[in-house]
Amino acid sequence: MQPLLIRGVDVKRKSSRFTMRRALLISAVMAVAVLYTSQIRISHLATGSVSIQNSAQRLSRCGFKGCTQALKGPRCFPAQNQQQDTYHRDHSLVSHAAIFGDGGAYERQNPGEKPEPVENPLDNLSGAQRSSIDVDGVSWSYLRTEGGDESKPTIVCAHGILSSSYTYGDTLKLLQRDGYDAVAFDWPGFGQSSKPSESNFGYKSEDYTKGLKSFVDAIGIKKPFVFITQGYILGQYGILFAAENPDLVEKLVILNTPLGAKSKLPAPLSSYTGMFKNFAFGKNPDAGMYHAAGGPYAFNYTDYQNLQMPYESSEDARLSFETVMKDLNFEQLLSKVSMAAERFRNPTLIPWGTDDKYLALDQVLSWLETKPTSTKLFALPASMGHYPQLDFPEQLIETVTRFINDEDYTKPSNVKGASSDGGGPPADF
C-alpha cells in the first residue's frame, strides 16, 4: 500500500490516528513557518523611510529602502529622517486621562463619571462656522472658514464612511489661520447632513458625485479648487468625482483611502458583506471605535462621542449607512477608482499615514505603477494612522499647502512637534 505524503512526512494508511494527527500537526507548523518567512511587513523606521522586508528580496524602489520593485522616475518621497514624535505623543490629546482603547471603556470602568477635560493645542485658534444648504431636496451640512484670501485657491474636504466633517475641524482652523477659503462637508446620510430615504436619494456613487457637483455650485465656488478626500467608500467616491470633473478639481489630495486591489474592508464594514451580512444589519455601528482602531494612538473621548452621536440620536443615520453598504461590491469599486485615477491628469498628492491599521503602504506602491506621473506619494514623516487630519493636522497642512503652492513638500518641516528633518521634536522645543 502506497504511503500518503503530507509535507514530507510518510504516513501509512494503516497508521494509528495518533500518527496521522501528529503528521497533520507537523504539516500545520511547517505551513505557518513558510508563511512567516515570506511575510511582507511594513515598518516605520528610525530614518523616516518605509521599508518592505522580505526574506527573498530586498531591492530599492521610489526612495523607499527595501522596496521590492523599481518605478520609472521619482514618485514617492520619504522624509530624510524621523525621530520619535514626542510632541504629539506627550503634549496633545492622546496622552491624557480622557482616552481609551475600546469604545465605551471609560464609562464602563468608571460608572457615572466623565473623563477629565483635555486641552487641545489648537483650541486657541478660531474654528470654521457650520452652515447647511438645501441641494435638490437634500440638506448638506458643512463647515467653512471665514475671510479667505481670494488669491489663494479654495479647498474642499471630503470624509469617508462612518465619518463626518468633524474630523477636519482642526484642519480647517489651520487653513483659516493661513488665509484659505476651506470647506469640509458631510455627505448626505452622514454627520449633520440630512438622512433622506432611498426614494429621495439613491446612495450610489453616481448619486454622491452628482450631488457634490451641485453642492459645490450651490455654495458659490465658481473657480477650480483643491479637493481633499479620505477614507473608505465615500472617500473613494471623492476620487471618482475628481476624475469626472477635472475642470473643477485643479489639484487632488488623497489621504489614506483604499487604492490597491488587495485592500480589505476592516471591521465593522466587513460585517456588512459576505454570507453573514444580514446579522449585522439592524444594529448601530460603532463609528467611534472604527476611528479609534485605525491609528497608532489611543482615542480622545470627546472625539469618540462626536463621531458616534449621529448613530445614538436617530436610527436614520444607521439606515443611511446600511443603504450604502447593502449593495456594495468593494472589489468592483476598487477597480472603478483605479481606472478613474488613470484618467485624471491633474497634479495629485497622496500624503500617507504610514501607521494606518487598515491599509498597507505596499498596496499603494503597486497601485501607482499604472497611474500618471502627475500622481505622487509622500509618506508622512510623523506617526499618523488612517486619519492624518486627526492625528497630526499641523504636519498634514504644512505638506498640503506646500503642494498647493508648488513648493517642495519633501523639505525639512517647520512644524512645532516635528524635527527639522520631518519628524520628532525640534531643537528649540
Side-chain angles (χ1 to χ4, degrees):
M1 184 173 291
Q2 294 296 320
L4 299 175
L5 275 182
I6 302 179
R7 291 286 181 185
V9 179
D10 291 343
V11 182
K12 304 288 186 182
R13 291 185 185 273
K14 294 183 179 180
S15 298
S16 66
R17 289 186 179 180
F18 174 78
T19 306
M20 178 65 79
R21 287 176 180 173
R22 183 173 61 181
L24 291 173
L25 178 60
I26 293 172
S27 175
V29 170
M30 292 178 68
V32 171
V34 169
L35 288 173
Y36 179 78
T37 55
S38 63
Q39 182 183 21
I40 293 176
R41 294 172 294 163
I42 304 295
S43 60
H44 206 164
L45 302 181
T47 59
S49 65
V50 175
S51 73
I52 298 177
Q53 300 175 346
N54 189 298
S55 59
Q57 193 175 29
R58 292 191 60 142
L59 301 174
S60 180
R61 166 182 179 161
C62 292
F64 285 84
K65 181 180 179 182
C67 290
T68 58
Q69 299 180 34
L71 283 181
K72 297 178 180 179
R75 196 183 285 267
C76 42
F77 305 90
Q80 296 173 354
N81 290 288
Q82 181 192 346
Q83 303 167 14
Q84 191 71 4
D85 183 8
T86 4
Y87 173 78
H88 191 57
R89 290 185 186 280
D90 296 343
H91 297 275
S92 71
L93 305 181
V94 300
S95 62
H96 294 74
I99 58 177
F100 52 90
D102 85 344
Y106 188 94
E107 288 185 327
R108 289 198 300 271
Q109 295 171 8
N110 304 274
E113 298 182 17
K114 295 294 181 183
E116 65 182 53
V118 179
E119 179 183 356
N120 184 336
L122 300 179
D123 277 347
N124 293 329
L125 295 178
S126 57
Q129 299 301 306
R130 183 167 293 279
S131 303
S132 62
I133 190 169
D134 185 273
V135 180
D136 299 327
V138 176
S139 177
W140 290 62
S141 179
Y142 63 99
L143 296 167
R144 190 166 192 173
T145 60
E146 297 180 322
D149 185 338
E150 292 187 1
S151 67
K152 296 183 177 182
T154 296
I155 301 173
V156 178
C157 306
H159 65 82
I161 197 84
L162 286 180
S163 194
S164 71
S165 59
Y166 175 85
T167 60
Y168 288 103
D170 285 344
T171 301
L172 263 61
K173 288 181 180 180
L174 295 166
L175 290 171
Q176 179 162 288
R177 178 201 64 186
D178 295 343
Y180 286 92
D181 174 28
V183 176
F185 63 89
D186 291 334
W187 290 105
F190 297 87
Q192 296 187 36
S193 288
S194 63
K195 284 73 178 174
S197 65
E198 196 172 359
S199 60
N200 294 324
F201 186 80
Y203 289 96
K204 299 290 192 296
S205 62
E206 56 270 25
D207 300 300
Y208 278 111
T209 55
K210 180 182 177 182
L212 178 54
K213 187 174 182 179
S214 299
F215 165 74
V216 166
D217 182 66
I219 62 173
I221 300 178
K222 303 301 182 183
K223 60 182 181 180
F225 55 88
V226 176
F227 188 49
I228 301 176
T229 189
Q230 184 274 331
Y232 277 84
I233 305 173
L234 301 180
Q236 294 168 277
Y237 293 171
I239 299 174
L240 299 180
F241 169 82
E244 293 169 8
N245 299 279
D247 54 327
L248 292 179
V249 180
E250 64 175 357
K251 289 187 176 182
L252 175 63
V253 177
I254 305 173
L255 305 182
N256 293 50
T257 298
L259 299 174
K262 295 182 179 180
S263 299
K264 302 297 182 183
L265 290 169
L269 305 182
S270 57
S271 303
Y272 292 82
T273 61
M275 294 176 57
F276 304 105
K277 65 180 183 180
N278 290 335
F279 290 99
F281 286 84
K283 301 174 184 177
N284 267 350
D286 196 337
M289 186 56 198
Y290 171 67
H291 287 74
Y297 304 111
F299 209 62
N300 178 258
Y301 181 79
T302 303
D303 292 340
Y304 176 88
Q305 284 187 310
N306 278 283
L307 292 163
Q308 185 63 23
M309 188 181 302
Y311 303 95
E312 301 297 337
S313 58
S314 168
E315 72 169 6
D316 292 340
R318 173 182 61 79
L319 293 173
S320 294
F321 164 66
E322 291 178 351
T323 304
V324 173
M325 296 300 298
K326 69 176 184 178
D327 296 320
L328 175 69
N329 185 324
F330 187 59
E331 291 74 18
Q332 189 178 78
L333 176 59
L334 287 168
S335 176
K336 188 176 180 180
V337 167
S338 184
M339 290 188 290
E342 290 174 15
R343 299 192 305 269
F344 188 73
R345 302 286 171 172
N346 295 355
T348 302
L349 180 65
I350 307 175
W352 195 263
T354 55
D355 284 326
D356 192 327
K357 306 306 179 185
Y358 296 148
L359 297 169
L361 180 64
D362 63 324
Q363 295 177 14
V364 186
L365 294 171
S366 300
W367 183 84
L368 280 170
E369 293 183 357
T370 60
K371 304 303 176 287
T373 55
S374 57
T375 300
K376 301 185 185 300
L377 169 67
F378 178 66
L380 291 164
S383 295
M384 298 187 224
H386 190 63
Y387 296 92
Q389 69 270 37
L390 282 174
D391 287 345
F392 201 168
E394 300 95 328
Q395 181 88 71
L396 174 64
I397 288 304
E398 180 187 61
T399 299
V400 170
T401 53
R402 284 175 173 178
F403 168 67
I404 290 172
N405 296 319
D406 297 319
E407 299 175 7
D408 180 8
Y409 48 83
T410 70
K411 67 184 181 181
S413 174
N414 296 318
V415 172
K416 184 178 181 180
S419 75
S420 58
D421 293 318
D428 61 347
F429 174 69

